[in-house]
Amino acid sequence: MLKLLVVFEDDEDGFVVASCPTLPGCHTQGRTRAEALANIREAIDGYLASVHDRGVPVPTSTEYEIINVAAS
């Protein structure tokens, strides 16, 4: 079982964009966060199946840090 970071962002068209930074190019969207989450799970499954089929190692986990910055 892998634990992967998923980032959600609202886009200018009202969709929710979901990305998995650990897996380059693994992005999707949905009309709601729940739909985006379901879609990113499917995208991750497809990504992992693709690297497995090609014999490529799964990328390692992404490191991240949350920082505080002053808002103007």
Side-chain angles (χ1 to χ4, degrees):
M1 183 69 62
L2 292 174
K3 288 186 179 184
L4 297 169
L5 174 67
V6 172
V7 177
F8 297 94
E9 298 177 83
D10 294 328
D11 76 3
E12 62 276 357
D13 296 324
F15 283 84
V16 178
V17 177
S19 303
C20 182
T22 303
L23 308 176
C26 193
H27 312 281
T28 190
Q29 65 182 14
R31 293 191 185 277
T32 65
R33 183 179 169 127
E35 184 178 351
L37 178 59
N39 291 344
I40 196 67
R41 287 181 183 276
E42 185 177 329
I44 289 169
D45 286 344
Y47 188 105
L48 295 176
S50 174
V51 298
H52 180 265
D53 289 348
R54 292 180 292 135
V56 177
V58 175
T60 59
S61 182
T62 301
E63 290 188 33
Y64 69 95
E65 183 172 341
I66 298 173
I67 62 169
N68 294 314
V69 296
S72 307

